[in-house]
CSV table of all heavy atoms in Angstrom, one decimal:
chain,number,residue,atom,x,y,z
U,1,PHE,N,-136.5,88.3,162.4
U,1,PHE,CA,-135.7,87.6,161.4
U,1,PHE,C,-134.5,86.9,162.1
U,1,PHE,O,-133.7,86.3,161.4
U,1,PHE,CB,-135.2,88.7,160.4
U,1,PHE,CG,-136.3,89.3,159.6
U,1,PHE,CD1,-136.8,90.6,160.0
U,1,PHE,CD2,-136.9,88.6,158.6
U,1,PHE,CE1,-137.8,91.1,159.3
U,1,PHE,CE2,-137.9,89.2,157.9
U,1,PHE,CZ,-138.4,90.4,158.2
U,2,TYR,N,-134.4,87.0,163.4
U,2,TYR,CA,-133.2,86.4,164.1
U,2,TYR,C,-133.2,84.9,163.9
U,2,TYR,O,-134.3,84.2,164.1
U,2,TYR,CB,-133.3,86.7,165.6
U,2,TYR,CG,-132.1,86.1,166.4
U,2,TYR,CD1,-130.9,86.7,166.4
U,2,TYR,CD2,-132.3,84.9,167.1
U,2,TYR,CE1,-129.8,86.2,167.1
U,2,TYR,CE2,-131.2,84.4,167.8
U,2,TYR,CZ,-130.0,85.0,167.8
U,2,TYR,OH,-128.9,84.5,168.5
U,3,GLY,N,-132.1,84.3,163.4
U,3,GLY,CA,-132.0,82.9,163.2
U,3,GLY,C,-132.6,82.5,161.8
U,3,GLY,O,-132.5,81.3,161.5
U,4,ARG,N,-133.2,83.4,161.1
U,4,ARG,CA,-133.8,83.1,159.8
U,4,ARG,C,-133.0,83.6,158.7
U,4,ARG,O,-132.7,82.9,157.7
U,4,ARG,CB,-135.2,83.6,159.7
U,4,ARG,CG,-136.2,83.1,160.8
U,4,ARG,CD,-137.4,83.9,160.9
U,4,ARG,NE,-138.2,83.8,159.7
U,4,ARG,CZ,-139.4,84.5,159.6
U,4,ARG,NH1,-139.9,85.2,160.6
U,4,ARG,NH2,-140.1,84.4,158.4
U,5,VAL,N,-132.5,84.9,158.8
U,5,VAL,CA,-131.7,85.5,157.8
U,5,VAL,C,-130.9,86.6,158.5
U,5,VAL,O,-131.4,87.2,159.4
U,5,VAL,CB,-132.6,86.0,156.6
U,5,VAL,CG1,-133.5,87.1,157.1
U,5,VAL,CG2,-131.7,86.5,155.5
U,6,ASP,N,-129.7,86.8,158.0
U,6,ASP,CA,-128.8,87.8,158.6
U,6,ASP,C,-129.1,89.1,158.1
U,6,ASP,O,-128.9,89.4,156.9
U,6,ASP,CB,-127.3,87.4,158.4
U,6,ASP,CG,-126.4,88.3,159.1
U,6,ASP,OD1,-126.8,88.9,160.1
U,6,ASP,OD2,-125.2,88.3,158.7
U,7,VAL,N,-129.6,90.0,158.9
U,7,VAL,CA,-129.9,91.4,158.5
U,7,VAL,C,-129.1,92.4,159.4
U,7,VAL,O,-128.9,92.1,160.6
U,7,VAL,CB,-131.4,91.7,158.5
U,7,VAL,CG1,-132.1,90.8,157.5
U,7,VAL,CG2,-132.0,91.6,159.9
U,8,ILE,N,-128.7,93.5,158.8
U,8,ILE,CA,-128.0,94.5,159.5
U,8,ILE,C,-129.0,95.3,160.4
U,8,ILE,O,-128.7,95.6,161.6
U,8,ILE,CB,-127.3,95.5,158.6
U,8,ILE,CG1,-126.3,94.7,157.7
U,8,ILE,CG2,-126.5,96.6,159.4
U,8,ILE,CD1,-125.2,94.0,158.4
U,9,HIS,N,-130.1,95.6,159.8
U,9,HIS,CA,-131.2,96.4,160.5
U,9,HIS,C,-132.5,96.0,160.0
U,9,HIS,O,-132.7,95.6,158.8
U,9,HIS,CB,-130.9,97.9,160.2
U,9,HIS,CG,-132.1,98.8,160.6
U,9,HIS,ND1,-132.3,99.3,161.8
U,9,HIS,CD2,-133.2,99.2,159.9
U,9,HIS,CE1,-133.4,100.0,161.9
U,9,HIS,NE2,-134.0,100.0,160.7
U,10,ALA,N,-133.5,96.1,160.9
U,10,ALA,CA,-134.9,95.9,160.4
U,10,ALA,C,-135.8,96.7,161.3
U,10,ALA,O,-135.6,96.8,162.5
U,10,ALA,CB,-135.3,94.4,160.6
U,11,SER,N,-136.8,97.4,160.6
U,11,SER,CA,-137.7,98.2,161.4
U,11,SER,C,-139.0,98.5,160.6
U,11,SER,O,-138.9,98.3,159.3
U,11,SER,CB,-137.1,99.5,161.8
U,11,SER,OG,-136.8,100.3,160.7
U,12,ALA,N,-140.0,98.9,161.2
U,12,ALA,CA,-141.2,99.4,160.6
U,12,ALA,C,-141.6,100.7,161.2
U,12,ALA,O,-141.3,101.0,162.4
U,12,ALA,CB,-142.3,98.4,160.7
U,13,PHE,N,-142.3,101.5,160.5
U,13,PHE,CA,-142.7,102.8,161.0
U,13,PHE,C,-143.8,102.8,161.9
U,13,PHE,O,-143.8,103.5,163.0
U,13,PHE,CB,-142.9,103.7,159.8
U,13,PHE,CG,-143.2,105.2,160.1
U,13,PHE,CD1,-142.5,105.8,161.1
U,13,PHE,CD2,-144.2,105.9,159.4
U,13,PHE,CE1,-142.8,107.2,161.4
U,13,PHE,CE2,-144.5,107.2,159.7
U,13,PHE,CZ,-143.8,107.8,160.7
U,14,VAL,N,-144.9,102.2,161.5
U,14,VAL,CA,-146.2,102.2,162.3
U,14,VAL,C,-146.7,100.8,162.5
U,14,VAL,O,-146.3,99.8,161.8
U,14,VAL,CB,-147.2,103.1,161.6
U,14,VAL,CG1,-146.8,104.5,161.6
U,14,VAL,CG2,-147.6,102.6,160.2
U,15,TYR,N,-147.6,100.6,163.5
U,15,TYR,CA,-148.3,99.4,163.7
U,15,TYR,C,-149.5,99.2,162.9
U,15,TYR,O,-150.3,100.2,162.7
U,15,TYR,CB,-148.7,99.2,165.2
U,15,TYR,CG,-147.5,98.9,166.1
U,15,TYR,CD1,-147.2,99.8,167.1
U,15,TYR,CD2,-146.8,97.7,166.0
U,15,TYR,CE1,-146.1,99.5,168.0
U,15,TYR,CE2,-145.7,97.4,166.8
U,15,TYR,CZ,-145.4,98.3,167.8
U,15,TYR,OH,-144.4,98.0,168.7
U,16,PHE,N,-149.8,98.0,162.4
U,16,PHE,CA,-150.9,97.7,161.6
U,16,PHE,C,-151.9,96.9,162.5
U,16,PHE,O,-151.6,95.9,162.9
U,16,PHE,CB,-150.5,96.8,160.4
U,16,PHE,CG,-151.6,96.5,159.4
U,16,PHE,CD1,-151.7,97.1,158.2
U,16,PHE,CD2,-152.5,95.4,159.7
U,16,PHE,CE1,-152.7,96.8,157.3
U,16,PHE,CE2,-153.5,95.1,158.8
U,16,PHE,CZ,-153.6,95.7,157.6
U,17,HIS,N,-153.1,97.6,162.7
U,17,HIS,CA,-154.2,96.9,163.5
U,17,HIS,C,-155.4,96.7,162.6
U,17,HIS,O,-155.7,97.6,161.7
U,17,HIS,CB,-154.6,97.8,164.7
U,17,HIS,CG,-153.5,98.0,165.6
U,17,HIS,ND1,-153.1,99.3,166.0
U,17,HIS,CD2,-152.7,97.2,166.3
U,17,HIS,CE1,-152.1,99.2,166.9
U,17,HIS,NE2,-151.9,98.0,167.1
U,18,LYS,N,-156.1,95.6,162.7
U,18,LYS,CA,-157.3,95.4,161.9
U,18,LYS,C,-158.3,96.5,162.2
U,18,LYS,O,-158.5,96.8,163.4
U,18,LYS,CB,-157.9,94.0,162.2
U,18,LYS,CG,-157.0,92.9,161.6
U,18,LYS,CD,-157.7,91.5,161.8
U,18,LYS,CE,-156.9,90.4,161.2
U,18,LYS,NZ,-157.5,89.1,161.3
U,19,LYS,N,-158.9,97.0,161.2
U,19,LYS,CA,-159.9,98.1,161.3
U,19,LYS,C,-159.3,99.4,161.9
U,19,LYS,O,-160.1,100.2,162.4
U,19,LYS,CB,-161.1,97.6,162.1
U,19,LYS,CG,-161.8,96.4,161.4
U,19,LYS,CD,-163.1,96.0,162.2
U,19,LYS,CE,-163.7,94.8,161.5
U,19,LYS,NZ,-165.0,94.4,162.3
U,20,GLY,N,-158.0,99.5,161.8
U,20,GLY,CA,-157.4,100.7,162.4
U,20,GLY,C,-157.0,101.7,161.3
U,20,GLY,O,-157.3,101.5,160.1
U,21,ILE,N,-156.4,102.8,161.7
U,21,ILE,CA,-156.0,103.9,160.8
U,21,ILE,C,-155.1,103.4,159.8
U,21,ILE,O,-155.2,103.6,158.5
U,21,ILE,CB,-155.4,105.1,161.6
U,21,ILE,CG1,-156.4,105.7,162.5
U,21,ILE,CG2,-154.8,106.1,160.6
U,21,ILE,CD1,-155.7,106.7,163.5
U,22,VAL,N,-154.1,102.6,160.2
U,22,VAL,CA,-153.0,102.2,159.3
U,22,VAL,C,-153.6,101.2,158.3
U,22,VAL,O,-153.2,101.2,157.1
U,22,VAL,CB,-151.8,101.6,160.1
U,22,VAL,CG1,-150.8,101.0,159.1
U,22,VAL,CG2,-151.2,102.7,160.9
U,23,GLN,N,-154.5,100.3,158.7
U,23,GLN,CA,-155.1,99.4,157.8
U,23,GLN,C,-155.8,100.1,156.6
U,23,GLN,O,-155.6,99.8,155.5
U,23,GLN,CB,-156.0,98.4,158.4
U,23,GLN,CG,-156.6,97.4,157.4
U,23,GLN,CD,-157.7,96.5,158.1
U,23,GLN,OE1,-158.7,97.0,158.6
U,23,GLN,NE2,-157.6,95.2,158.0
U,24,GLU,N,-156.5,101.1,157.0
U,24,GLU,CA,-157.2,101.9,156.0
U,24,GLU,C,-156.2,102.6,155.1
U,24,GLU,O,-156.4,102.7,153.8
U,24,GLU,CB,-158.1,102.9,156.7
U,24,GLU,CG,-159.0,103.7,155.7
U,24,GLU,CD,-160.1,102.8,155.1
U,24,GLU,OE1,-160.4,101.7,155.5
U,24,GLU,OE2,-160.6,103.3,154.0
């Protein structure tokens, strides 16, 4: 989001991979 919108914090918990655990 740098240079696009001013945010204090940004994060995600897990990675999303195609055909992976998180996608399911």
Side-chain angles (χ1 to χ4, degrees):
F1 298 100
Y2 182 78
R4 297 167 64 179
V5 63
D6 187 21
V7 298
I8 305 298
H9 166 88
S11 68
F13 183 40
V14 295
Y15 284 117
F16 182 103
H17 300 123
K18 288 186 177 180
K19 299 183 180 179
I21 295 169
V22 175
Q23 183 186 55
E24 187 66 18

